[in-house]
Amino acid sequence: MSEKRKQEQSVWNAREKRGKREEMVEFSLLVREEATKEQVSAAWKERRAFTHGTQLWNLIPDSKRESIVMDPHPFHHCVIPNFIQSQTFLEGLQNELLNLNFREKSNDLYKFKQSDDLKKRNEPHISALRKVLFEDFRTWLSDITKVELEQTVDMSCAKYNYTDTLLCHDDELEGRRIAFILYLVPPWDKTDGGTLDLYSIDDHFQPQEIVKSLVPSWNSLAFFEVSPVSFHQVSEILSEGKCRLSVSGWFHGPSLERPTRYIEPLLPRNPHIPHDHKILYEWISPVYLDMELHVQVQEEFEERSEILLKNFLKLDKFKEVCETLEKENLKWKIRGPPNKRCYESAEGRLPDVLRDCMELFQSEAMFLLLSNLTGLKLHFLASDDEEEDREEEETEGIAAERTSDCAEQNSTKLEQGESSQENKDKDNQLNQYEQVSGTEQKDKIKPSGPVCNGELRHWGHGHYTLMHDTDADHSEFALDLLLFCGCQDWEAEYGGFTSYIAKEEDEELLTLYPENNALALIYRDKETLKFVKYINHRSLDQRESNLRRNGFWDFSFVYYE
């Protein structure tokens, strides 16, 4: 045999071997019928619900059902049971997918495992699925929606296990037009979690509440139109023994026009409440009123921009606060929208001890104490380092280095009579807190001076906050204050911790875990975002503990210079 003949034979043999490995697959024959296509297309255009299937639906097992169910509420979505016609193919596909390498993905929005993009995988079943989705099904979708879909399709595999979730979002990204999910799950029930939850919207095109939940089932394919209102989530997996395996991605095409993005109004900010030093003596551990400690705390804070002050409140006061939170039937309001946050905030009249604690953090004395602990100018008595440096340069002709800290300077000012009142009977280390609420001091505070806002929050199963770099609250420098209550023995695996992240970066700058009676102070700049991690089902494990059943609470305040 000639050399050329041998090469041709070799190529033919190689093709034959490849052909033996190729898998062929088709999607639902009923859906592909021309009459069905016309009906579905008309329903899509007219934005009305449509269901097509056999009249003997209830007599046919799930694995044999063929139909299509479409609904425009709350946004265009559709479910096709028994999407792939061959069960043998599906089993082979499942095995190939489970053998892929999966990466743990976890941030403010989600926690699950995901494969790399499946565009270039060579496994026969994955390749066949890619072909039917990228070619045949894409053509069918274009005919139905009258949208010219591009050949580029994103596709990957996701595994959701116990406590995994994907929180509320709209999927909008330039070019995404139709999202799809093919489920390869064991027998599944709503109590297992993992539902695809669809949200209604309010007048500002913000998600409001879950109005429909799609339960995943073996070989069903769900798809929906990606739009400014396509808010959805994958609810937390509650089953410890089941894996929610799926192939998902997006078909690309011209994006829909987005309405003007809604910007939330800022929370009201208020100047301090006129409370003098007595409120500090009543509530705060004496160690934190020591001027020498202020020096140490401020040095550490200026170096790290954060500090945790343990056992901040007096023990008897902290105990009274916790007992009130546990026993009193407080009125709570869910704070949303769910694409930004979900937790409970206290509203209405608070019991006296909780009201007094809130007033502590809004008091003039606390503003000054925070100035001493952080070096920030949150009170008119706090030093202004830049102004003092300028004065020294003018008088001495050189740039002076900082030789004393804010706490010492404030104490000196008071000793020299800058306060309208003096109480020489008190120890020098407490002098500055004794006179901060006189009439003259209040007259000196400018309306544009330091302000704060704050709330009492309850955190439990299903609560979280998400990062949003468009929030006006993050467009300026601020001091965050958090005091935790009722979180004894809280575990990191439950969630509920606060993470600070630099904008457009993945690495966390700080992770703050809830700790009883610990006061956290964090100074953040315009490039710092934060979120509270979703509190998962593990937080309910120890039901015999009242504290665990109720989650925990925090007093949350933000101060602005």
Side-chain angles (χ1 to χ4, degrees):
M1 183 183 294
S2 68
E3 187 65 28
K4 181 178 179 180
R5 183 76 172 167
K6 288 181 180 180
Q7 290 177 354
E8 291 175 348
Q9 184 69 33
S10 176
V11 170
W12 188 88
N13 289 337
R15 288 174 177 169
E16 184 182 44
K17 290 178 181 179
R18 286 198 301 271
K20 290 180 179 178
R21 296 189 66 248
E22 287 181 359
E23 292 286 341
M24 299 298 293
V25 65
E26 293 182 327
F27 68 96
S28 173
L29 178 61
L30 176 67
V31 172
R32 285 184 286 131
E33 289 180 349
E34 195 60 36
T36 305
K37 283 180 60 176
E38 291 177 0
Q39 291 175 312
V40 175
S41 181
W44 181 281
K45 180 180 180 180
E46 297 165 13
R47 303 194 67 83
R48 56 179 172 82
F50 173 81
T51 301
H52 178 63
T54 175
Q55 296 179 348
L56 303 178
W57 179 268
N58 294 328
L59 301 179
I60 297 178
D62 290 349
S63 61
K64 299 296 184 181
R65 291 177 181 172
E66 283 191 303
S67 70
I68 181 169
V69 179
M70 190 173 68
D71 192 349
H73 179 71
F75 49 86
H76 263 323
H77 64 278
C78 184
V79 178
I80 305 175
N82 292 293
F83 179 72
I84 298 297
Q85 292 189 293
S86 170
Q87 292 300 313
T88 302
F89 174 87
L90 288 167
E91 292 169 2
L93 174 64
Q94 183 184 43
N95 289 333
E96 289 178 1
L97 293 173
L98 290 173
N99 285 324
L100 296 173
N101 292 322
F102 288 84
R103 293 174 289 107
E104 183 77 38
K105 295 175 66 69
S106 180
N107 60 15
D108 61 320
L109 184 64
Y110 50 69
K111 184 176 82 72
F112 62 95
K113 292 180 180 178
Q114 187 180 48
S115 73
D116 291 330
D117 197 298
L118 301 180
K119 287 179 184 176
K120 298 181 180 180
R121 300 300 304 191
N122 296 320
E123 292 85 349
H125 295 84
I126 294 176
S127 297
L129 177 66
R130 185 171 62 233
K131 180 179 175 60
V132 76
L133 287 174
F134 287 22
E135 297 178 10
D136 300 341
F137 187 65
R138 178 174 61 84
T139 300
W140 182 88
L141 268 180
S142 286
D143 292 342
I144 293 299
T145 62
K146 307 306 179 187
V147 175
E148 186 175 347
L149 298 175
E150 302 169 4
Q151 293 184 355
T152 301
V153 182
D154 298 323
M155 187 172 79
S156 63
C157 182
K159 288 198 303 185
Y160 288 76
N161 294 306
Y162 181 53
T163 72
D164 287 350
T165 188
L166 173 58
L167 300 175
C168 180
H169 63 292
D170 61 11
D171 261 10
E172 274 222 307
L173 198 64
E174 187 66 33
R176 289 180 180 176
R177 191 59 192 269
I178 304 290
F180 70 90
I181 313 100
L182 174 64
Y183 298 106
L184 296 170
V185 296
W188 203 272
D189 187 82
K190 191 171 184 178
T191 58
D192 295 320
T195 53
L196 179 63
D197 297 332
L198 312 183
Y199 287 84
S200 62
I201 58 168
D202 61 18
D203 294 338
H204 302 294
F205 300 97
Q206 293 293 290
Q208 195 167 28
E209 60 183 356
I210 296 170
V211 294
K212 191 170 186 178
S213 294
L214 305 179
V215 180
S217 63
W218 174 264
N219 192 22
S220 66
L221 182 134
F223 68 88
F224 60 86
E225 183 178 42
V226 177
S227 74
V229 299
S230 57
F231 289 103
H232 61 283
Q233 72 166 7
V234 176
S235 65
E236 181 184 0
I237 306 298
L238 304 179
S239 171
E240 298 189 50
K242 294 182 181 180
C243 172
R244 183 187 187 273
L245 183 70
S246 64
V247 176
S248 59
W250 298 272
F251 294 92
H252 291 258
S255 298
L256 294 175
E257 184 178 351
R258 172 181 276 279
T260 302
R261 188 181 295 274
Y262 175 67
I263 303 297
E264 287 185 287
L266 291 172
L267 292 175
R269 299 178 183 179
N270 300 298
H272 59 66
I273 297 174
H275 277 288
D276 62 14
H277 66 284
K278 294 177 182 179
I279 195 170
L280 301 184
Y281 300 154
E282 181 182 357
W283 279 89
I284 297 175
S285 299
V287 64
Y288 292 115
L289 301 179
D290 187 331
M291 288 294 180
E292 293 184 2
L293 181 67
H294 294 177
V295 176
Q296 301 173 23
V297 170
Q298 190 181 129
E299 287 178 353
E300 181 177 344
F301 184 85
E302 288 179 343
E303 180 180 348
R304 300 172 53 190
S305 297
E306 55 92 9
I307 198 164
L308 188 68
L309 306 179
K310 300 187 177 185
N311 300 312
F312 184 74
L313 298 184
K314 287 183 175 180
L315 184 58
D316 59 333
K317 281 294 187 182
F318 181 72
K319 183 178 179 182
E320 187 179 359
V321 167
C322 289
E323 289 177 349
T324 304
L325 287 169
E326 293 169 25
K327 296 178 182 179
E328 292 286 341
N329 187 22
L330 303 181
K331 186 177 181 181
W332 300 96
K333 179 182 179 181
I334 290 289
R335 281 211 63 205
N339 64 324
K340 295 182 179 179
R341 64 188 72 85
C342 178
Y343 62 84
E344 292 180 327
S345 180
E347 65 173 9
R349 181 174 177 82
L350 294 175
D352 290 348
V353 65
L354 300 182
R355 184 197 65 228
D356 292 347
C357 190
M358 291 288 288
E359 289 188 2
L360 166 69
F361 295 115
Q362 300 171 80
S363 69
E364 184 176 6
M366 176 59 77
F367 272 63
L368 183 54
L369 175 60
L370 292 175
S371 296
N372 284 349
L373 293 173
T374 65
L376 301 174
K377 192 170 179 58
L378 296 174
H379 192 277
F380 75 94
L381 289 179
S383 65
D384 187 331
D385 294 330
E386 292 183 2
E387 182 179 340
E388 291 183 359
D389 286 347
R390 286 195 300 270
E391 290 176 355
E392 273 194 68
E393 288 177 9
E394 291 175 0
T395 57
E396 300 180 12
I398 59 172
E401 293 186 358
R402 189 169 158 186
T403 58
S404 60
D405 59 271
C406 178
E408 293 172 333
Q409 293 165 351
N410 288 346
S411 181
T412 301
K413 288 179 181 179
L414 285 163
E415 291 171 1
Q416 293 175 347
E418 288 188 28
S419 170
S420 66
Q421 305 178 36
E422 283 187 332
N423 190 340
K424 296 180 181 180
D425 296 332
K426 295 289 182 180
D427 293 334
N428 287 336
Q429 65 180 6
L430 298 177
N431 272 350
Q432 67 184 129
Y433 301 116
E434 297 177 3
Q435 313 301 333
V436 295
S437 45
T439 302
E440 291 183 26
Q441 287 83 347
K442 284 181 283 185
D443 291 342
K444 292 180 183 179
I445 299 178
K446 299 178 181 179
S448 60
V451 291
C452 77
N453 59 48
E455 58 184 338
L456 171 58
R457 307 185 296 186
H458 171 245
W459 298 95
H461 179 223
H463 291 166
Y464 60 87
T465 67
L466 301 177
M467 294 187 295
H468 275 267
D469 57 8
T470 58
D471 284 356
D473 182 54
H474 289 91
S475 63
E476 54 192 308
F477 294 86
L479 175 69
D480 291 342
L481 178 151
L482 293 169
L483 178 78
F484 299 101
C485 304
C487 51
Q488 183 177 354
D489 300 325
W490 188 265
E491 299 289 343
E493 66 177 6
Y494 302 157
F497 52 83
T498 304
S499 292
Y500 287 79
I501 294 182
K503 188 182 292 186
E504 299 180 357
E505 298 288 340
D506 293 330
E507 185 176 353
E508 294 186 2
L509 302 173
L510 170 69
T511 303
L512 180 63
Y513 296 98
E515 183 177 342
N516 259 352
N517 200 13
L519 184 85
L521 299 174
I522 305 97
Y523 188 62
R524 53 180 166 83
D525 60 23
K526 300 177 183 179
E527 299 300 314
T528 302
L529 304 175
K530 63 178 178 177
F531 69 90
V532 177
K533 185 65 175 177
Y534 176 87
I535 298 177
N536 61 53
H537 195 258
R538 286 191 176 95
S539 65
L540 304 177
D541 287 347
Q542 302 178 23
R543 293 181 182 275
E544 68 277 6
S545 167
N546 287 333
L547 293 180
R548 183 68 62 250
R549 184 171 62 250
N550 292 331
F552 67 90
W553 301 266
D554 66 26
F555 291 85
S556 172
F557 281 81
V558 183
Y559 298 83
Y560 304 88
E561 291 184 283

